[in-house]
Amino acid sequence: MRSAFELTLVNGPSGDPALFADLVGAGRAVLCDLGTLVGLAPRKLLRVSDVLVSHAHLDHFCGFEELLRVVLGRARTIRLVGPEGTIDRLAHRLASYSWNLAGSYREGVSFEVLEVLEGGGRRRATLALADRFRPAPVECFEAPGDLVREEARLSIRAVPLDHDVPCLAFALAKPRHVQIWRNRLEAMGLGTGPWLRTLKEAVLAGAADTTPIRARWRAPEGVEERILPLGTLRNEVVEIVPGQRVVYVTDCAWTAANVERILSLARGADTLVIEAPFLDADRAQARARRHLTAREAGTLAHWARVRRVIPFHFSPRYAGRYALLEAELRAAFEGRPGATAEPPPGARDPSPTPRENGGALTISSEVSG
Ligand SMILES: [Zn+2]
């Protein structure tokens, strides 16, 4: 079985926030936050179709130009989602450069920027090289719910969080799908064609192995056809890629509203990538800066019953001692007595639902799936 997403913390767990989520088999990727991107190869930046910006603190937003330089002369639209103010911020960033040479590019990038506002409002505008990134008309609309993108193979949700400034948490989800191995298809002497859709539908419907599948394809000598049992094709050329949900949370205060919104995205998720900047002993610092502690991050993972948690955004004050943050988070995630945080004042009962799968804690700067 393959994973739907391959996740990489571009700058590791202690550097600027930037999570590269490669959509396996889709030739594209989602980038969560724009901390410095110098560590990301241009060929990977070229796969970015969607950018999700949590908020505009420098360490989450300073890498924008590194992306811009790679995609500038490309005929593509990159969708960028951010909190209130993102359109203006991006327009000002782009307006700080001279674009007199924009006309010399045969092709150019466009950014379709979507703001998710507190209370369900949305604002959208497109900034394009072809227009020298001049501020475009802003479209305002209401959007009930937290969905910001829905495709057959990918959905993205966003919820506003309080970090003293507007901030967003995100969930990326891919449904279960069927992958066809073309090289194995060729080895069996079969060609590609619309019949592969029938095959995928039969696999997803759980049809019997004896179900006949009519393979029909165009060859140089004319149309060819063979009828094979579904079981043979299922064993030889098909792989089922399970659905997966990844939730990205940074930066936020320990408040009842934040806890509720994070849990609304993260309950039952496969992977929770979450900030864990401070030890519980330094909780006063975390409160003052509107951040979580490692204990609170692990407690959220415990309440949400995620399968695994990846902590990051470690404060440099713990350099050489990051294992302490990981240990505190691990104890809370496992729900050890006395290791979890008390719910914030006013929070609804966040007791976890019974765990369906065995929990596994992964702490890594580079993980698959
Ligand atoms: Zn911040």
Side-chain angles (χ1 to χ4, degrees):
M1 292 266 219
R2 293 163 74 198
S3 298
F5 298 99
E6 270 179 20
L7 306 177
T8 308
L9 281 170
V10 176
N11 304 302
S14 59
D16 283 2
L19 176 73
F20 185 77
D22 217 347
L23 275 63
V24 173
R28 57 184 272 212
V30 176
L31 189 56
C32 299
D33 270 339
L34 293 169
T36 181
L37 300 175
V38 289
L40 203 54
R43 68 183 165 77
K44 289 192 168 181
L45 284 171
L46 285 170
R47 287 216 287 280
V48 173
S49 60
D50 297 79
V51 177
L52 311 176
V53 176
S54 65
H55 63 298
H57 278 152
L58 188 62
D59 53 338
H60 297 255
F61 204 40
C62 65
F64 174 71
E65 277 81 353
E66 286 149 13
L67 172 67
L68 177 65
R69 293 188 78 172
V70 172
V71 300
L72 185 65
R74 305 278 175 157
R76 67 176 56 186
T77 298
I78 294 179
R79 292 173 294 270
L80 191 147
V81 181
E84 182 178 349
T86 302
I87 294 171
D88 275 353
R89 291 176 191 286
L90 213 62
H92 284 109
R93 287 276 284 276
L94 290 160
S96 72
Y97 298 99
S98 298
W99 297 109
N100 58 307
L101 300 177
S104 64
Y105 288 86
R106 276 195 308 136
E107 299 174 329
V109 72
S110 300
F111 294 96
E112 185 189 294
V113 189
L114 178 73
E115 290 183 5
V116 176
L117 312 182
E118 180 75 42
R122 303 273 197 274
R123 300 174 80 234
R124 183 165 48 206
T126 298
L127 298 158
L129 176 67
D131 300 327
R132 302 185 181 196
F133 296 118
R134 273 189 282 257
V138 176
E139 178 195 353
C140 299
F141 54 101
E142 290 295 315
D146 53 16
L147 202 61
V148 292
R149 179 128 197 103
E150 187 166 34
E151 306 170 18
R153 300 271 296 270
L154 173 71
S155 68
I156 301 175
R157 293 177 185 277
V159 295
L161 298 180
D162 172 15
H163 175 47
D164 213 22
V165 294
C167 184
L168 299 177
F170 299 99
L172 316 177
K174 280 187 83 177
R176 193 170 75 110
H177 72 279
V178 174
Q179 184 101 15
I180 306 287
W181 291 96
R182 297 203 173 216
N183 53 343
R184 295 188 200 161
L185 212 58
E186 276 172 28
M188 287 179 73
L190 300 171
T192 58
W195 72 275
L196 290 173
R197 183 172 307 165
T198 311
L199 169 62
K200 288 179 178 181
E201 284 168 0
V203 170
L204 285 175
D209 280 352
T210 50
T211 308
I213 300 290
R214 186 188 298 267
R216 223 175 122 80
W217 67 97
R218 206 172 289 281
E221 310 78 44
V223 173
E224 293 198 29
E225 185 175 299
R226 270 168 67 189
I227 295 179
L228 296 120
L230 175 61
T232 304
L233 293 165
R234 187 156 29 208
N235 290 336
E236 299 295 330
V237 302
V238 161
E239 185 175 31
I240 298 175
V241 182
Q244 199 182 10
R245 178 153 43 101
V246 174
V247 175
Y248 178 83
V249 176
T250 196
D251 306 348
C252 62
W254 185 244
T255 67
N258 281 350
V259 165
E260 205 168 293
R261 288 174 178 184
I262 292 165
L263 291 178
S264 77
L265 289 185
R267 268 196 198 94
D270 298 278
T271 303
L272 174 62
V273 184
I274 188 165
E275 69 155 354
F278 292 98
L279 286 172
D280 191 59
D282 298 320
R283 197 165 48 202
Q285 287 281 345
R287 294 280 178 276
R289 298 182 185 201
R290 311 292 283 167
H291 275 288
L292 299 177
T293 66
R295 172 173 292 185
E296 289 158 355
T299 301
L300 281 164
H302 173 66
W303 286 339
R305 288 300 195 207
V306 298
R307 279 184 45 234
R308 63 178 181 171
V309 56
I310 301 172
F312 77 119
H313 211 1
F314 296 160
S315 166
R317 69 169 58 200
Y318 305 109
R321 300 186 295 141
Y322 292 138
L324 294 177
L325 292 163
E326 292 170 356
E328 189 172 285
L329 175 134
R330 180 189 295 270
F333 177 43
E334 291 175 352
R336 287 187 218 156
T340 53
E342 288 297 315
R348 280 191 229 161
D349 179 12
S351 304
T353 48
R355 187 182 289 273
E356 286 174 16
N357 307 307
L361 178 66
T362 301
I363 296 180
S364 171
S365 61
E366 185 153 356
V367 289
S368 290

